[in-house]
Amino acid sequence: MSRDLDHAPDHAPDRMSGQAPDQAPDQAPDRAPDVPQGLALLRTRTELHTWTTAPGQADPAARTAVVMTMGALHEGHAGLVRTARARAGAAGRVVVTVFVNPLQFGAGEDLDRYPRTLAADLVVAADAGADAVFAPSAAEMYPGGQPQVRITAGPMGERLEGASRPGHFDGMLTVVAKLLQLTRPDLALFGQKDAQQLALIRRMAHDLDFPVEIVGVDTVREPDGLALSSRNRYLSTAERHTALALSAALFAARDRLAAQQALYARAASGKHPQARAEALSKMGEARAAADAAAVALAGPGGADAVRAAARTVLDDATRATPPLTVDYLALVDPADFTEVPDGHRGDAVLAVAARVGTTRLIDNIPLSFGATP
């Protein structure tokens, strides 16, 4: 689901509030939110089915797109909905699901504290072009209690975020599978920010033959580079400054790779770069000679150098006030999220998770290591 995999503050209570899992502790259960004009709010499977099959609802040949969320919608979610609208077309249907899935929360995590802002979510969804919001209760999604049969993420779901949060991806895939069955979309859109989640959903859809196109949408960032997240609201001004190290590390790695590949391209296209460097050195042109030597020695861009560039930024942030505590920095193959070797060629994802104060944040960036000419 489109839910930030980063944690809320550690001081989130361990006990249940006594309220339904999809309901804020301070929200009356029978208080219906105002629904924007033109948007349908669907709370049950029956309502969803009736709306989907209503005569004249849409051209039967039109496409249906779904954006799955856990609520607390922000501009990143709005971008997903806008992309869904564009992909589905004016005659198609765009459904946003809002469901705080208890299966994705482990012991001591933030189920009670997870923000529930359905009224505001309806406005965001409507403004972005959604036709309907499906916001079921936990009892509606799991009428017999927690499901006895679940989707298992396998080894890919045990790495990185899966290692930090055992069982999380099993719960995520289970609810995504249920929502795909209920909404029956032609395409489902998920954010690249949760790259491991996106990769697992793609793998599930492929391996289990779900008849749906899984679409990844680029991460939306705030002007200072911080990836949009419902968790950003927990950061103090000083903590937010430290948190910028996550995106800064990713950008430093991207720039290092680009510089390496540019030097390599010059070396590959030039004639006798080493001889030119030696000649310039004899002429006393030290700076030009150093540049020519760098070109001569340039490789196509190594994974270890990219990791090192990111690690330097993160290490500096560990000495900041307040400090950054790094959970992991990993350069992985997007197909299975295993670490790539130094000589890797092809696509990769550089992923980072870290804690600032009591808030855990994640971020990533896709990279492409060029093949040797």
Side-chain angles (χ1 to χ4, degrees):
M1 308 190 50
S2 183
R3 176 244 169 164
D4 302 312
L5 297 177
D6 30 10
H7 292 217
D10 283 342
H11 55 257
D14 293 339
R15 61 181 176 82
M16 296 293 290
S17 66
Q19 302 289 341
D22 64 330
Q23 176 190 322
D26 60 351
Q27 181 180 341
D30 56 353
R31 184 176 181 180
D34 293 331
V35 181
Q37 186 175 4
L39 183 76
L41 174 59
L42 314 170
R43 303 306 298 261
T44 68
R45 301 161 184 250
T46 299
E47 290 176 357
L48 176 63
H49 178 74
T50 300
W51 179 84
T52 302
T53 58
Q57 177 59 239
D59 181 347
R63 308 182 83 194
T64 296
V66 66
V67 175
M68 300 182 190
T69 82
M70 289 178 68
L73 303 189
H74 50 61
E75 179 57 28
H77 298 106
L80 288 171
V81 178
R82 286 192 291 268
T83 302
R85 178 81 275 164
R87 291 292 300 270
R93 288 184 285 254
V94 175
V95 179
V96 175
T97 69
V98 174
F99 177 61
V100 182
N101 179 30
L103 301 188
Q104 291 176 231
F105 292 80
E109 288 192 349
D110 60 329
L111 177 61
D112 285 352
R113 288 182 55 84
Y114 197 84
R116 277 82 162 175
T117 57
L118 181 58
D121 294 343
L122 296 177
V123 175
V124 173
D127 288 348
D131 297 301
V133 169
F134 178 49
S137 66
E140 182 70 22
M141 285 297 293
Y142 306 121
Q146 293 200 1
Q148 298 300 304
V149 177
R150 307 186 187 193
I151 303 291
T152 300
M156 186 176 171
E158 297 171 356
R159 302 174 184 127
L160 302 186
E161 285 302 302
S164 297
R165 308 179 66 192
H168 166 79
F169 285 127
D170 293 353
M172 179 275 295
L173 290 178
T174 298
V175 79
V176 168
K178 286 177 68 70
L179 288 170
L180 288 175
Q181 293 288 355
L182 291 170
T183 58
R184 303 283 176 163
D186 298 289
L187 56 156
L189 296 89
F190 299 89
Q192 177 64 39
K193 178 179 178 291
D194 295 327
Q196 191 173 6
Q197 170 180 275
L198 174 60
L200 282 163
I201 293 170
R202 280 178 167 151
R203 174 60 66 180
M204 177 185 73
H206 175 271
D207 289 354
L208 301 184
D209 295 315
F210 279 84
V212 61
E213 178 186 357
I214 304 300
V215 179
V217 179
D218 290 344
T219 300
V220 178
R221 298 185 180 277
E222 301 195 40
D224 58 9
L226 190 66
L228 279 177
S229 168
S230 59
R231 304 305 185 202
N232 293 350
R233 70 184 69 190
Y234 295 120
L235 298 170
S236 68
T237 300
E239 288 171 343
R240 183 186 176 90
H241 182 75
T242 296
L244 293 176
L246 274 74
S247 57
L250 299 178
F251 297 157
R254 177 195 62 192
D255 293 346
R256 172 66 64 85
L257 177 60
Q260 287 180 316
Q261 293 184 333
L263 281 174
Y264 184 63
R266 287 175 60 189
S269 62
K271 295 182 178 180
H272 311 297
Q274 186 62 48
R276 180 172 181 271
E278 292 173 356
L280 287 169
S281 181
K282 291 178 181 179
M283 293 169 58
E285 298 287 343
R287 292 184 64 183
D291 179 70
V295 171
L297 296 173
D304 287 349
V306 169
R307 289 186 183 94
R311 176 60 66 181
T312 296
V313 176
L314 296 176
D315 285 347
D316 287 343
T318 63
R319 296 184 287 273
T321 304
L324 187 77
T325 302
V326 179
D327 185 351
Y328 62 75
L329 173 70
L331 184 61
V332 298
D333 186 328
D336 58 11
F337 269 65
T338 57
E339 289 276 0
V340 301
D342 191 39
H344 176 73
R345 295 291 170 264
D347 293 337
V349 172
L350 182 63
V352 60
R355 193 177 301 278
V356 188
T358 58
T359 303
R360 186 174 181 273
L361 301 170
I362 63 170
D363 202 351
N364 71 84
I365 191 169
L367 298 173
S368 182
F369 291 77
T372 303

